[in-house]
Amino acid sequence: MRIIHLFVIGALIFAAAYVYRIKMDSTARTRCERVLRLHAEIREQRDAIASLRSEWAKLDAPHRLQGLSDRHLQLKPVNGTQYDSLKNLPERPPRMFRPGEPDPIGAMLNTIEAASDPDNVTGSVPQPEDKQ
């Protein structure tokens, strides 16, 4: 009876190992097929990129762009006489403060500098002792 039990246990272990091997082979085959499929897809994408680059190079050709600009834009060459003189500049914008008053931005900067002055101490910070 024990021999039959050992034989059955051995057969079960052999069957489990065989099923495991079949599973691993199918998994490896599936991975291999997936890798091959991904390589084919990468190749297709690289071919598509190469064809798009060639189309872009054709569209971006200087002779083609020059022909399009001549045909669709009404551009003329720039002459040296097209520049205007300084007397034709527009009026200066009005000042935001009167001529005798101090500059408001400069006053703000002076306030910020005065606040960051080390001699100016607030009540929450003890006054530094004089170094001698």
Side-chain angles (χ1 to χ4, degrees):
M1 192 69 157
R2 287 188 176 189
I3 295 176
I4 294 174
H5 286 147
L6 291 176
F7 180 71
V8 170
I9 291 172
L12 286 174
I13 291 173
F14 176 75
Y18 183 71
V19 169
Y20 183 75
R21 193 185 104 213
I22 291 173
K23 179 189 175 289
M24 292 307 293
D25 288 344
S26 67
T27 303
R29 195 173 296 131
T30 303
R31 286 183 184 163
C32 182
E33 289 172 0
R34 184 170 181 229
V35 167
L36 290 174
R37 199 173 334 117
L38 287 175
H39 281 300
E41 188 177 330
I42 289 171
R43 201 175 314 115
E44 289 174 6
Q45 292 297 322
R46 285 184 179 163
D47 291 343
I49 290 171
S51 68
L52 288 173
R53 282 187 178 157
S54 67
E55 287 179 27
W56 180 257
K58 184 178 86 173
L59 293 174
D60 201 30
H63 294 301
R64 178 183 173 278
L65 293 176
Q66 182 65 42
L68 287 173
S69 68
D70 291 343
R71 192 172 339 139
H72 297 291
L73 299 176
Q74 310 306 329
L75 299 177
K76 298 174 187 169
V78 177
N79 296 330
T81 60
Q82 290 178 316
Y83 297 107
D84 207 354
S85 64
L86 293 177
K87 65 180 179 182
N88 293 331
L89 285 176
E91 291 289 326
R92 178 178 275 188
R95 295 180 75 161
M96 301 307 283
F97 56 95
R98 293 189 181 102
E101 295 178 358
D103 181 19
I105 295 177
M108 285 183 213
L109 292 174
N110 290 337
T111 305
I112 292 171
E113 288 176 4
S116 65
D117 187 17
D119 295 334
N120 187 8
V121 179
T122 64
S124 63
V125 178
Q127 186 163 355
E129 297 178 17
D130 292 333
K131 294 181 182 179
Q132 296 180 14

